[in-house]
């Protein structure tokens, strides 16, 4: 008969009744039989972390299936039922798509690193002349995404604009999307001008580019919480041009995020850190940056799901539901503590 679920759906703020049909939700407005798996409260279509790297504990570690499972379970137990992995040390294993106990995964394949622009040996090291072909290969082998490391050190050149533009065009022609790591002014500028689908971090992003981002649909994933966690350590470093550049970029980033939202850019929540399952903290950082609480919540839930191609809580949607006893918009502190989690039509907590 499936599970019965009743509650106030966000963001619509309308009470609805659903029944699960396998891994799909069906609206069930007529009185029915059976107990409710969720009866009352506030319903979200599962939290989303759009920038997480499950599968390794450290950069020197090889990708490990057992670690990958554990990290996904940490996400799930926090109510994160969909993740995007913009770069991993190895391609995400195929069994992921068939495991009903773990969150849905959208993979971007391996990091694509041209010489001098990433930790050696961690991603897929390629020459600049091989970037276009490698990007298409990773996007088509994964879930339609690829990840290009667009810049690296603050005083070294980013991937050239012409090359990044050619890469984006080729991936788009193959039906894929491109995420670009960027933490320098040049790297962020090139990612926007090349038409990338998402800027990962976006440190030193020129605010004059925000209107263009909004018009072409380039999203910003600022990963504020991981930068905030490292800020005190950076301040304690010996003075250097590199330290000062990083701190200046971090100081400006919250204001850039607020301006991006006001310009109509899609701002999304990603953690880029361990432990997994902490996207609620990233949502709170988006509020601190100036996003309205509902927009910050959507960045970690329904807006992120829509951006990744999944609907919210409607008839025919995936049966992924996270329930709360209190409204997480009015009480954002509850976001990390769901009262019930339904994943792929099964109660997991």
């Amino acid at each position: 008969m499936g599970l019965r679920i009743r509650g106030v759906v966000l963001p619509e703020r309308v009470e609805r009744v659903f029944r699960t049909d396998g891994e799909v939700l069906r609206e069930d407005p007529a009185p029915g039989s059976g107990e409710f798996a969720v009866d009352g409260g506030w319903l979200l279509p599962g939290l989303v972390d759009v920038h997480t790297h499950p599968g390794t504990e450290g950069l020197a570690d090889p990708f490990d299936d057992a670690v990958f499972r554990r990290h996904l379970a940490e996400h799930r137990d926090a109510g994160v039922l969909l993740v995007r992995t913009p770069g991993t040390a190895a391609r995400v294993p195929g069994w992921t798509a068939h495991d009903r106990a773990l969150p849905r995964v959208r993979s971007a394949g391996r990091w694509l690193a041209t010489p001098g622009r990433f930790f050696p040996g961690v991603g897929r090291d390629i020459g600049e002349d091989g970037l276009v072909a490698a990007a298409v290969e990773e996007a088509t082998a994964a879930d339609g995404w690829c990840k290009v490391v667009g810049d690296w050190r603050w005083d070294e050149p980013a991937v050239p604009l012409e090359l990044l533009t050619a890469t984006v065009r080729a991936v788009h022609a193959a039906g894929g999307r491109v995420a670009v790591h960027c933490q320098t002014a040049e790297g962020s500028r090139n990612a926007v001008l090349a038409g990338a689908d998402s800027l990962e971090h976006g440190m030193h992003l020129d605010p004059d580019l925000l209107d263009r981002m909004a018009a072409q649909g380039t999203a910003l994933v600022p990963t504020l919480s991981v930068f905030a966690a490292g800020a005190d350590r950076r301040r304690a470093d010996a003075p250097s041009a590199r330290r000062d550049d990083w701190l200046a970029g971090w100081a400006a980033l919250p204001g850039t995020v607020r301006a991006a939202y006001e310009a109509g850019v899609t701002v999304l929540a990603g953690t880029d850190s361990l432990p997994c399952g902490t996207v609620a903290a990233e949502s709170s950082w988006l509020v601190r940056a100036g996003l309205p609480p509902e927009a910050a919540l959507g960045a970690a839930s329904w807006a992120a799901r829509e951006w990744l191609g999944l609907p919210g809580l409607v008839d025919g949607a995936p049966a992924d539901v996270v329930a709360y006893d209190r409204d997480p918009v009015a009480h954002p502190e509850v976001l990390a503590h769901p009262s019930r989690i339904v994943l792929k039509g099964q109660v997991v907590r």
Side-chain angles (χ1 to χ4, degrees), residues 39 67 81 104 120 129 147 195 307 329 331:
D39 191 4
V67 174
L81 307 185
R104 303 174 194 274
D129 59 350
K147 167 75 170 290
W307 187 69
V329 175
H331 305 280

Side-chain angles (χ1 to χ4, degrees), residues 85-282:
T85 63
T88 48
R91 288 177 184 161
V92 168
W95 56 256
T96 306
H98 309 291
D99 193 320
R100 293 188 66 190
L102 294 175
R104 303 174 194 274
V105 177
R106 297 292 182 266
S107 169
R110 293 171 287 179
W111 287 284
L112 295 172
T114 49
R117 296 192 179 101
F118 200 46
F119 301 104
V122 173
R124 180 177 173 180
D125 294 321
I126 51 174
E128 289 189 355
D129 59 350
L131 179 59
V132 173
V136 172
E137 182 181 350
E138 292 297 326
T140 54
D143 293 308
W145 280 93
C146 69
K147 167 75 170 290
V148 176
V149 181
D151 59 20
W152 196 234
R153 302 191 187 282
W154 70 277
D155 57 347
E156 295 182 359
V159 173
L161 174 58
E162 295 78 6
L163 175 58
L164 193 57
T165 301
T167 301
V168 172
R169 287 176 177 168
V171 173
H172 284 177
R177 301 167 83 183
V178 182
V180 178
H181 165 101
C182 44
Q183 290 186 187
T184 69
E186 182 188 17
S188 293
R189 178 183 68 87
N190 286 358
V192 175
L193 297 182
D197 297 281
S198 68
L199 269 62
E200 310 300 314
H201 315 303
M203 190 177 270
H204 296 289
L205 173 62
D206 184 348
D208 288 344
L209 294 170
L210 295 176
D211 287 341
R212 178 165 181 159
M213 288 179 66
Q216 68 191 24
T218 299
L220 175 63
V221 186
T223 64
L224 293 170
S225 52
V226 72
F227 287 127
D232 287 342
R233 184 179 68 253
R234 290 282 188 163
R235 293 188 189 99
D237 287 345
S240 68
R242 181 180 179 183
R243 185 203 72 159
D244 293 347
D245 181 81
W246 190 96
L247 290 174
W250 163 237
L253 190 55
T256 300
V257 170
R258 179 175 61 253
Y261 170 77
E262 292 171 349
V265 174
T266 297
V267 177
L268 299 171
T271 60
D272 192 26
S273 64
L274 297 175
C276 294
T278 59
V279 78
E282 180 67 18

